[in-house]
Amino acid sequence: VLLDLRKAEDYEADHVDGFVSADVDAAKNGDIENGVEQLKKATEGEDLENKKILLMCYSGAGYAQVGTDLLINEMGVNPENIYTVEGGMKAW
C-alpha cells in the first residue's frame, strides 16, 4: 500500500506514480479523527493487518511520523509492516 501523506494540493502538484493521497495535515495539527478518516479513505477501508505500507512525505520525518502513529495507535497496524521513503519527496 503506497500512501502519500503530504497536503492534498502538494500531491496534486506532483507525486510519485502509484502513491495515493492520504493528507494527514489536519492530524499533524491535532485533528486525529480527520487523519484516520483520510487514511481509511485512501486505503478504501482495506484490511491493513497483513499489508506492507510505504509512506511518502516531504522529507521522511514529520508527516511520516504522524502517519505511522495513526496507523499503529488508531488503526492497529503492526509497526513492522510500515516503511517510510527515506528523504521523502525531497530525496525522490
Side-chain angles (χ1 to χ4, degrees):
V1 178
L2 307 173
L3 299 175
D4 188 321
L5 304 175
R6 299 172 303 137
K7 294 178 184 178
E9 57 266 17
D10 293 332
Y11 174 87
E12 290 300 323
D14 188 26
H15 63 272
V16 177
D17 288 341
F19 278 79
V20 177
S21 179
D23 180 347
V24 297
D25 186 59
K28 191 170 193 313
N29 294 305
D31 187 350
I32 302 301
E33 286 183 28
N34 183 281
V36 171
E37 180 180 317
Q38 292 300 318
L39 288 168
K40 286 182 178 178
K41 180 180 172 185
T43 59
E44 299 176 347
E46 190 175 347
D47 180 12
L48 301 176
E49 185 176 340
N50 295 311
K51 302 276 180 156
K52 301 288 185 196
I53 303 169
L54 181 59
L55 305 177
M56 173 74 77
C57 70
Y58 294 98
S59 65
Y63 280 72
Q65 187 61 58
V66 170
T68 298
D69 290 346
L70 291 171
L71 288 164
I72 295 169
N73 299 327
E74 304 298 325
M75 299 176 70
V77 174
N78 181 340
E80 294 178 5
N81 290 338
I82 302 171
Y83 303 87
T84 301
V85 174
E86 188 173 329
M89 279 298 287
K90 289 181 181 181
W92 187 266

